[in-house]
Amino acid sequence: MDQDTGFLTQGVYPLQNVRDLDPIINEIGNSQYVLIGEASHGTSEYYTWRADLSKRLIQEKGFTLIAVEGDWPSSYSLNQYVQGRQGGTAQQALQSFRRWPTWMWANQEVASFSEWLRQYNQPLAQNQKVGFYGMDVYSMWESLEEVRNYMQTADPAVAQLAQAALNCLGPYNRDEQQYAQATARGTSCAPQMQALIQAVQAHRAKQPAAHEGAFNAEQNALVAVNAERYYTQMVRSGSESWNVRDRHMQETINRLVAEKGAGAKIIVWAHNTHVGDARYTDMASSGMVNVGQLIREQHAQKGVYLVGFGSYEGQVIASNTWGGSTRVMTVPQAKAGSWEQILHRYSPENKLLLMRELQNIPEAMESRGHRAIGVTYNPGFESGNYVPTILPRRYDAFLYIDKTKALSPL
């Protein structure tokens, strides 16, 4: 230990096996919302530790919902598999994730967890089974098609409204960028989306309370409305489009809890940039909010627990460009003065940090860089990958993995 890391006098615990998660489980207590992050979308250990923590929350704390940073239609297909409503294997079910970057969900780590979840659910009554759902906003076309296909039988007049929205989007060849640019020239399919969601909501209001098909259709209509808003903002304001997306995630979390029953407990899987409270980063000065902040602000009394991840060096699955080819990249050693470098210098082992214990240490409450790697990454230009962060406020617990391996895409 050196003088730069000497302030870490408490709150640091070993992280070698699943029993080492005990301090987190104890702190979570009866919390209803547990959000678990990742410092990249392509690191094996983030996925496996997140799965291990989720298994314990399901088995020991009665969590019955998982919401992930993935598309609703693709995730719903996997949900049907883990709940035992469709056959095959997890690997086959994960083929529903066709949107780039497919590796984010169609990987061996998620397949293994999905098989475990299916086995866990097997003996349970339907209302006790754990569900797996997507909370992202990108699936505008796919969600409209899901609404249309469902309503063709359930309510043909609503199916026609879904088709009208698809017809409005027709000239853009399923290219979100094309549509976004068209909105800057005054074009908009928002009226068609609005007419559709109102009709879907009216349809759902006539169904029995727990009518899953109607709930699924309504969620897909909501995705389409918010996706249209997201792409419209994308060419106008990066921070506002971000906020549309994270508010949609918050709304989806709330809808899932309400649908399952007001006391239902939910686990959220998303990148650190969504999970770690934005108020304790430089996102706040840009007017950006995120899911961790919004859920904390709304549900603090019901218990909200945020878990972050980070690492010093290793490997990651990513691409040089959006939509580009996927490859294993080397993650260089963390830059001097960053949280990851300080934790490595403290000791080059995996460790767990409990933030409550660090909040009384002035040096721990300083803002330092905290690495965030997206689906596009260039290891040679890392300076922009560090988010200034007050770590003990941004999260409740932090899992530090000193050296990582790349995810295993299917």
Side-chain angles (χ1 to χ4, degrees), residues 13-24:
Y13 297 84
L15 186 65
Q16 301 301 322
N17 60 58
V18 71
R19 298 316 310 174
D20 291 334
L21 296 171
D22 283 355
I24 294 184

Side-chain angles (χ1 to χ4, degrees), residues 102-116:
T102 53
W103 79 80
M104 208 172 134
W105 299 112
N107 59 64
Q108 193 54 56
E109 288 81 353
V110 172
S112 298
F113 177 75
S114 302
E115 292 291 7
W116 178 88

